[in-house]
Amino acid sequence: MSVERPPAPRLPPPPSAPPTTAPYPPPPHYPPPAIGNRAPGDGRAIISVTASVLGILLGLPFGLPGLALGSYGYFMGKSAISRIDGAPGVSGGRSLAVTGWVLGIVATAIGAVVSLVWLVLILVSLSTPQTFE
């Protein structure tokens, strides 16, 4: 005697699981930024800053060295800027060159003013009569 079992009730299918992959590919893996692989600094930029700072330091007490070194620093800074902008990526140090250029202007102005003051002082001292007693 075989007992027939009634058919099992049909259950709805289980809800489908969300897809395990994104509908689009992941972003590419970019390499980390290179550390220490900068372009070397332009030598004229370093010379420009050095000459300009020396021009300011020597121009304050004496005048003429500031006038000479300031103009030298100005022209070296302008030259370095044009070389750096002319070949991007080959040499760096543009901000150093601009610093030397601006400090060259400052050193030239200081040297001119101090030289003028020294000239006036010398002329005034020569024009006053000296009395010997």
Side-chain angles (χ1 to χ4, degrees):
M1 148 161 188
S2 102
V3 179
E4 243 182 80
R5 292 187 183 172
R10 288 203 148 199
L11 298 173
S16 63
T20 58
T21 60
Y24 49 86
H29 296 285
Y30 293 106
I35 298 175
N37 291 339
R38 298 181 311 170
D42 190 43
R44 292 182 186 199
I46 297 168
I47 291 172
S48 171
V49 170
T50 305
S52 298
V53 169
L54 280 175
I56 290 172
L57 292 176
L58 292 176
L60 284 171
F62 304 117
L64 286 178
L67 199 57
L69 288 172
S71 60
Y72 181 70
Y74 170 79
F75 287 115
M76 289 299 281
K78 287 297 276 187
S79 173
I81 289 171
S82 65
R83 284 179 61 171
I84 292 168
D85 289 345
V90 175
S91 62
R94 188 176 196 288
S95 60
L96 197 63
V98 170
T99 302
W101 173 50
V102 171
L103 287 179
I105 294 170
V106 171
T108 303
I110 289 173
V113 169
V114 172
S115 294
L116 186 65
V117 168
W118 274 112
L119 182 66
V120 167
L121 286 175
I122 290 171
L123 290 176
V124 166
S125 68
L126 289 177
S127 67
T128 57
Q130 295 181 356
T131 58
F132 296 105
E133 294 184 27

Coordinates of all heavy atoms in Angstrom, one line a residue, residues 38-110:
R38 N 62.3 65.6 -9.0 CA 62.0 66.9 -9.5 C 63.2 67.3 -10.5 O 64.2 66.7 -10.4 CB 62.0 67.9 -8.4 CG 60.9 67.7 -7.4 CD 60.9 68.8 -6.3 NE 62.2 68.9 -5.8 CZ 62.6 69.9 -5.0 NH1 61.8 70.8 -4.6 NH2 63.8 69.9 -4.5
A39 N 62.9 68.3 -11.3 CA 63.9 68.8 -12.2 C 64.9 69.6 -11.3 O 64.5 70.2 -10.3 CB 63.3 69.7 -13.2
P40 N 66.2 69.5 -11.6 CA 67.2 70.2 -10.8 C 67.0 71.7 -11.0 O 66.5 72.2 -12.0 CB 68.5 69.8 -11.4 CG 68.2 69.3 -12.8 CD 66.8 68.8 -12.7
G41 N 67.3 72.4 -9.9 CA 67.2 73.9 -9.9 C 68.2 74.5 -10.9 O 69.3 74.0 -11.1
D42 N 67.8 75.6 -11.5 CA 68.7 76.4 -12.4 C 69.7 77.1 -11.6 O 69.5 77.7 -10.6 CB 67.8 77.4 -13.2 CG 68.6 78.0 -14.3 OD1 69.3 77.2 -15.0 OD2 68.5 79.2 -14.6
G43 N 71.0 77.0 -12.0 CA 72.1 77.6 -11.3 C 72.0 79.1 -11.3 O 72.4 79.8 -10.3
R44 N 71.4 79.7 -12.4 CA 71.3 81.2 -12.4 C 70.3 81.7 -11.4 O 70.5 82.8 -10.9 CB 70.9 81.6 -13.8 CG 72.0 81.4 -14.8 CD 71.5 81.8 -16.2 NE 72.5 81.5 -17.2 CZ 72.7 82.0 -18.3 NH1 71.8 83.0 -18.7 NH2 73.6 81.6 -19.2
A45 N 69.3 80.9 -11.0 CA 68.4 81.3 -10.0 C 69.1 81.4 -8.7 O 68.8 82.3 -7.9 CB 67.2 80.3 -10.0
I46 N 69.9 80.4 -8.4 CA 70.6 80.4 -7.1 C 71.6 81.6 -7.0 O 71.7 82.3 -6.0 CB 71.4 79.1 -6.9 CG1 70.3 77.9 -6.8 CG2 72.2 79.1 -5.7 CD1 70.9 76.5 -6.9
I47 N 72.3 81.8 -8.1 CA 73.2 83.0 -8.2 C 72.5 84.3 -8.0 O 73.0 85.2 -7.4 CB 74.0 82.9 -9.5 CG1 75.0 81.7 -9.5 CG2 74.8 84.2 -9.7 CD1 75.7 81.5 -10.8
S48 N 71.3 84.4 -8.6 CA 70.5 85.6 -8.5 C 70.1 85.9 -7.1 O 70.2 87.0 -6.7 CB 69.3 85.4 -9.4 OG 68.4 86.5 -9.2
V49 N 69.6 84.9 -6.4 CA 69.3 85.1 -5.0 C 70.5 85.5 -4.1 O 70.4 86.4 -3.3 CB 68.5 83.9 -4.4 CG1 68.3 84.0 -2.9 CG2 67.2 83.7 -5.1
T50 N 71.6 84.8 -4.4 CA 72.8 85.0 -3.6 C 73.3 86.5 -3.8 O 73.6 87.2 -2.9 CB 73.9 84.0 -3.9 OG1 73.4 82.7 -3.8 CG2 75.1 84.2 -3.1
A51 N 73.4 86.9 -5.1 CA 73.8 88.2 -5.4 C 72.9 89.3 -4.9 O 73.3 90.3 -4.4 CB 74.0 88.4 -6.9
S52 N 71.6 89.0 -4.9 CA 70.6 90.0 -4.5 C 70.7 90.2 -3.0 O 70.6 91.3 -2.5 CB 69.2 89.6 -4.9 OG 69.1 89.6 -6.3
V53 N 70.8 89.1 -2.2 CA 70.9 89.2 -0.8 C 72.2 89.9 -0.4 O 72.2 90.7 0.5 CB 70.7 87.8 -0.1 CG1 71.1 87.8 1.3 CG2 69.3 87.2 -0.3
L54 N 73.3 89.5 -1.0 CA 74.5 90.2 -0.7 C 74.4 91.7 -1.1 O 75.0 92.5 -0.4 CB 75.7 89.6 -1.5 CG 76.3 88.3 -0.9 CD1 77.3 87.7 -1.8 CD2 76.8 88.6 0.5
G55 N 73.7 92.0 -2.2 CA 73.5 93.4 -2.5 C 72.8 94.2 -1.5 O 73.1 95.3 -1.2
I56 N 71.8 93.5 -0.9 CA 71.0 94.2 0.1 C 71.9 94.4 1.4 O 71.9 95.5 2.0 CB 69.7 93.4 0.5 CG1 68.7 93.5 -0.7 CG2 69.1 94.0 1.8 CD1 67.5 92.6 -0.5
L57 N 72.6 93.3 1.8 CA 73.4 93.4 3.0 C 74.6 94.4 2.8 O 74.9 95.1 3.8 CB 74.0 92.0 3.3 CG 73.0 91.0 3.8 CD1 73.6 89.7 4.0 CD2 72.3 91.5 5.0
L58 N 75.2 94.5 1.7 CA 76.3 95.4 1.5 C 75.9 96.8 1.0 O 76.6 97.7 1.2 CB 77.3 94.8 0.4 CG 78.1 93.6 0.9 CD1 79.0 93.1 -0.3 CD2 78.9 93.9 2.1
G59 N 74.7 96.8 0.5 CA 74.2 98.1 0.0 C 73.7 99.0 1.1 O 73.7 100.2 1.0
L60 N 73.2 98.4 2.2 CA 72.8 99.2 3.3 C 73.8 100.1 3.9 O 73.6 101.3 4.1 CB 72.1 98.3 4.4 CG 70.7 97.8 4.0 CD1 70.2 96.8 5.0 CD2 69.7 99.0 3.9
P61 N 75.0 99.6 4.2 CA 76.1 100.5 4.7 C 76.8 101.3 3.7 O 77.3 102.4 3.9 CB 77.0 99.6 5.5 CG 76.8 98.2 4.9 CD 75.5 98.2 4.3
F62 N 77.1 100.7 2.5 CA 78.0 101.3 1.5 C 77.3 101.9 0.3 O 77.8 102.8 -0.3 CB 79.0 100.3 1.1 CG 79.8 99.7 2.2 CD1 79.7 98.3 2.5 CD2 80.6 100.4 3.1 CE1 80.4 97.8 3.6 CE2 81.3 99.9 4.1 CZ 81.2 98.6 4.4
G63 N 76.3 101.3 -0.2 CA 75.6 101.8 -1.3 C 76.0 101.2 -2.7 O 75.2 100.6 -3.3
L64 N 77.2 101.5 -3.1 CA 77.6 101.0 -4.4 C 77.6 99.5 -4.6 O 77.2 99.0 -5.7 CB 79.0 101.6 -4.8 CG 79.0 103.1 -5.1 CD1 80.4 103.6 -5.4 CD2 78.1 103.3 -6.3
P65 N 78.0 98.7 -3.7 CA 77.9 97.2 -3.8 C 76.5 96.8 -4.0 O 76.2 95.9 -4.8 CB 78.5 96.6 -2.6 CG 79.4 97.7 -2.0 CD 78.8 99.0 -2.4
G66 N 75.6 97.4 -3.4 CA 74.1 97.1 -3.5 C 73.7 97.5 -4.9 O 72.9 96.7 -5.5
L67 N 74.1 98.6 -5.4 CA 73.8 99.0 -6.8 C 74.3 98.0 -7.8 O 73.6 97.6 -8.7 CB 74.4 100.4 -7.1 CG 73.8 101.2 -8.2 CD1 72.3 101.4 -8.0 CD2 74.5 102.5 -8.2
A68 N 75.5 97.5 -7.7 CA 76.1 96.6 -8.6 C 75.6 95.2 -8.5 O 75.1 94.6 -9.5 CB 77.6 96.6 -8.4
L69 N 75.5 94.7 -7.2 CA 75.0 93.3 -7.1 C 73.5 93.2 -7.3 O 73.0 92.1 -7.7 CB 75.4 92.8 -5.6 CG 76.9 92.5 -5.4 CD1 77.1 92.2 -3.9 CD2 77.3 91.4 -6.3
G70 N 72.8 94.3 -7.0 CA 71.4 94.2 -7.2 C 71.0 94.1 -8.7 O 70.2 93.4 -9.1
S71 N 71.7 94.9 -9.5 CA 71.5 94.9 -10.9 C 71.9 93.5 -11.5 O 71.3 92.9 -12.4 CB 72.1 96.0 -11.6 OG 73.5 96.0 -11.4
Y72 N 73.0 93.0 -11.0 CA 73.5 91.6 -11.4 C 72.4 90.6 -11.0 O 72.1 89.7 -11.9 CB 74.8 91.3 -10.8 CG 75.4 90.0 -11.2 CD1 75.9 89.8 -12.5 CD2 75.5 89.0 -10.3 CE1 76.4 88.6 -12.8 CE2 76.0 87.7 -10.6 CZ 76.5 87.5 -11.9 OH 77.0 86.3 -12.3
G73 N 71.9 90.6 -9.8 CA 70.9 89.7 -9.4 C 69.6 89.8 -10.2 O 69.0 88.8 -10.5
Y74 N 69.3 91.0 -10.5 CA 68.1 91.3 -11.4 C 68.2 90.6 -12.7 O 67.3 89.9 -13.2 CB 67.8 92.8 -11.5 CG 66.8 93.1 -12.6 CD1 65.4 93.1 -12.2 CD2 67.1 93.5 -13.8 CE1 64.5 93.4 -13.2 CE2 66.2 93.8 -14.8 CZ 64.8 93.8 -14.5 OH 63.9 94.0 -15.4
F75 N 69.3 90.8 -13.4 CA 69.5 90.3 -14.7 C 69.7 88.8 -14.7 O 69.2 88.1 -15.6 CB 70.6 91.0 -15.5 CG 70.3 92.4 -15.9 CD1 71.0 93.4 -15.4 CD2 69.3 92.6 -16.8 CE1 70.6 94.7 -15.7 CE2 69.0 93.9 -17.2 CZ 69.6 95.0 -16.7
M76 N 70.3 88.2 -13.7 CA 70.5 86.8 -13.6 C 69.1 86.1 -13.3 O 68.8 85.1 -13.8 CB 71.5 86.4 -12.5 CG 72.9 86.7 -12.8 SD 73.5 85.9 -14.3 CE 73.8 84.3 -13.6
G77 N 68.3 86.8 -12.5 CA 66.9 86.3 -12.2 C 66.1 86.3 -13.5 O 65.4 85.3 -13.7
K78 N 66.1 87.3 -14.2 CA 65.3 87.4 -15.5 C 65.8 86.3 -16.5 O 65.0 85.7 -17.2 CB 65.4 88.8 -16.1 CG 64.7 89.9 -15.4 CD 63.2 89.6 -15.4 CE 62.6 90.1 -16.7 NZ 61.1 90.0 -16.7
S79 N 67.1 86.2 -16.5 CA 67.7 85.1 -17.4 C 67.3 83.7 -17.0 O 66.9 82.9 -17.9 CB 69.2 85.3 -17.4 OG 69.8 84.2 -18.1
A80 N 67.3 83.5 -15.7 CA 66.9 82.2 -15.2 C 65.4 81.9 -15.5 O 65.0 80.8 -15.9 CB 67.2 82.0 -13.7
I81 N 64.6 82.9 -15.3 CA 63.1 82.8 -15.6 C 62.9 82.4 -17.1 O 62.1 81.5 -17.4 CB 62.4 84.0 -15.2 CG1 62.3 84.2 -13.7 CG2 60.9 84.0 -15.7 CD1 61.8 85.5 -13.2
S82 N 63.6 83.1 -18.0 CA 63.4 82.8 -19.4 C 63.9 81.5 -19.8 O 63.3 80.8 -20.6 CB 64.1 83.9 -20.3 OG 65.5 83.9 -20.1
R83 N 65.0 81.0 -19.1 CA 65.5 79.7 -19.4 C 64.5 78.6 -18.9 O 64.3 77.6 -19.5 CB 66.9 79.5 -18.8 CG 68.0 80.1 -19.6 CD 69.3 79.9 -18.9 NE 69.6 78.5 -18.8 CZ 70.8 78.1 -18.5 NH1 71.8 78.9 -18.1 NH2 71.1 76.8 -18.4
I84 N 64.0 78.8 -17.7 CA 63.1 77.8 -17.1 C 61.8 77.8 -17.9 O 61.2 76.7 -18.2 CB 62.8 78.2 -15.6 CG1 64.1 77.9 -14.8 CG2 61.7 77.3 -15.1 CD1 64.1 78.5 -13.4
D85 N 61.2 78.9 -18.3 CA 60.0 78.9 -19.1 C 60.2 78.4 -20.5 O 59.3 77.9 -21.1 CB 59.4 80.3 -19.1 CG 58.9 80.8 -17.8 OD1 58.7 79.9 -16.9 OD2 58.6 82.0 -17.6
G86 N 61.4 78.5 -21.0 CA 61.7 78.1 -22.4 C 61.8 76.6 -22.5 O 61.5 76.0 -23.6
A87 N 62.1 75.9 -21.5 CA 62.2 74.4 -21.5 C 61.6 73.9 -20.3 O 62.2 73.6 -19.3 CB 63.7 74.0 -21.6
P88 N 60.2 73.7 -20.3 CA 59.6 73.2 -19.1 C 59.9 71.8 -18.8 O 60.1 71.0 -19.7 CB 58.1 73.3 -19.5 CG 58.0 73.5 -20.9 CD 59.3 74.0 -21.4
G89 N 60.2 71.5 -17.5 CA 60.5 70.2 -17.1 C 62.0 69.9 -17.1 O 62.4 68.9 -16.4
V90 N 62.8 70.7 -17.8 CA 64.2 70.4 -17.8 C 64.9 70.9 -16.6 O 65.7 70.2 -16.0 CB 64.8 71.0 -19.1 CG1 66.3 70.9 -19.1 CG2 64.2 70.4 -20.3
S91 N 64.5 72.1 -16.2 CA 65.1 72.7 -14.9 C 64.0 73.4 -14.1 O 63.1 73.9 -14.7 CB 66.2 73.7 -15.3 OG 65.7 74.7 -16.0
G92 N 64.2 73.3 -12.8 CA 63.2 73.9 -11.9 C 63.8 75.1 -11.3 O 64.8 75.7 -11.6
G93 N 63.1 75.6 -10.2 CA 63.6 76.7 -9.5 C 63.0 78.1 -9.9 O 63.7 79.1 -9.7
R94 N 61.9 78.1 -10.5 CA 61.3 79.3 -11.0 C 61.0 80.3 -9.9 O 61.2 81.5 -10.0 CB 60.0 79.1 -11.9 CG 59.5 80.3 -12.5 CD 58.3 80.0 -13.4 NE 58.1 81.1 -14.4 CZ 57.6 82.3 -14.0 NH1 57.3 82.5 -12.8 NH2 57.4 83.2 -14.9
S95 N 60.5 79.7 -8.8 CA 60.1 80.6 -7.7 C 61.4 81.2 -7.1 O 61.4 82.4 -6.6 CB 59.4 79.9 -6.6 OG 60.1 78.8 -6.1
L96 N 62.5 80.5 -7.1 CA 63.8 81.0 -6.6 C 64.3 82.1 -7.5 O 64.8 83.1 -7.1 CB 64.8 79.8 -6.5 CG 66.0 80.0 -5.7 CD1 65.7 80.3 -4.3 CD2 66.9 78.9 -5.9
A97 N 64.1 81.9 -8.8 CA 64.5 82.9 -9.8 C 63.7 84.2 -9.6 O 64.2 85.3 -9.7 CB 64.4 82.4 -11.2
V98 N 62.4 84.0 -9.4 CA 61.5 85.2 -9.2 C 61.9 86.0 -7.9 O 62.0 87.2 -7.9 CB 60.0 84.8 -9.2 CG1 59.2 86.0 -8.8 CG2 59.6 84.3 -10.6
T99 N 62.3 85.2 -6.9 CA 62.7 85.8 -5.6 C 64.0 86.6 -5.9 O 64.2 87.7 -5.4 CB 63.0 84.7 -4.6 OG1 61.8 84.0 -4.4 CG2 63.4 85.3 -3.3
G100 N 65.0 86.0 -6.6 CA 66.2 86.7 -6.9 C 66.0 88.0 -7.7 O 66.6 89.0 -7.5
W101 N 65.0 87.9 -8.7 CA 64.7 89.0 -9.5 C 64.1 90.1 -8.7 O 64.6 91.3 -8.8 CB 63.7 88.5 -10.6 CG 63.2 89.5 -11.5 CD1 63.8 90.5 -12.1 CD2 61.8 89.7 -11.8 NE1 62.9 91.3 -12.9 CE2 61.7 90.8 -12.7 CE3 60.6 89.1 -11.4 CZ2 60.5 91.2 -13.1 CZ3 59.4 89.5 -11.9 CH2 59.4 90.6 -12.8
V102 N 63.2 89.8 -7.8 CA 62.5 90.9 -7.0 C 63.5 91.5 -6.0 O 63.6 92.7 -5.8 CB 61.3 90.3 -6.3 CG1 60.7 91.3 -5.3 CG2 60.2 90.0 -7.4
L103 N 64.3 90.6 -5.4 CA 65.3 91.1 -4.4 C 66.4 91.9 -5.1 O 67.0 92.8 -4.5 CB 65.9 89.9 -3.6 CG 65.1 89.3 -2.6 CD1 65.8 88.1 -1.9 CD2 64.6 90.3 -1.6
G104 N 66.7 91.6 -6.4 CA 67.6 92.4 -7.2 C 67.1 93.8 -7.3 O 67.9 94.8 -7.3
I105 N 65.8 94.0 -7.6 CA 65.2 95.3 -7.7 C 65.3 96.0 -6.4 O 65.7 97.2 -6.3 CB 63.7 95.2 -8.2 CG1 63.6 94.6 -9.6 CG2 63.0 96.5 -8.1 CD1 62.2 94.3 -10.0
V106 N 65.0 95.3 -5.3 CA 65.1 95.9 -4.0 C 66.6 96.4 -3.6 O 66.8 97.5 -3.2 CB 64.6 95.0 -2.9 CG1 64.8 95.5 -1.5 CG2 63.1 94.8 -3.1
A107 N 67.5 95.5 -3.9 CA 68.9 95.8 -3.7 C 69.4 97.0 -4.5 O 70.2 97.8 -4.0 CB 69.8 94.6 -3.9
T108 N 68.9 97.0 -5.8 CA 69.3 98.2 -6.6 C 68.8 99.5 -6.1 O 69.5 100.5 -6.1 CB 68.8 97.9 -8.1 OG1 69.4 96.7 -8.5 CG2 69.3 99.0 -9.0
A109 N 67.5 99.4 -5.6 CA 66.9 100.7 -5.1 C 67.6 101.1 -3.8 O 67.9 102.3 -3.6 CB 65.4 100.4 -4.8
I110 N 67.9 100.1 -2.9 CA 68.6 100.5 -1.7 C 70.0 101.0 -2.0 O 70.4 102.0 -1.4 CB 68.7 99.2 -0.8 CG1 67.3 98.9 -0.2 CG2 69.7 99.4 0.3 CD1 67.3 97.6 0.6

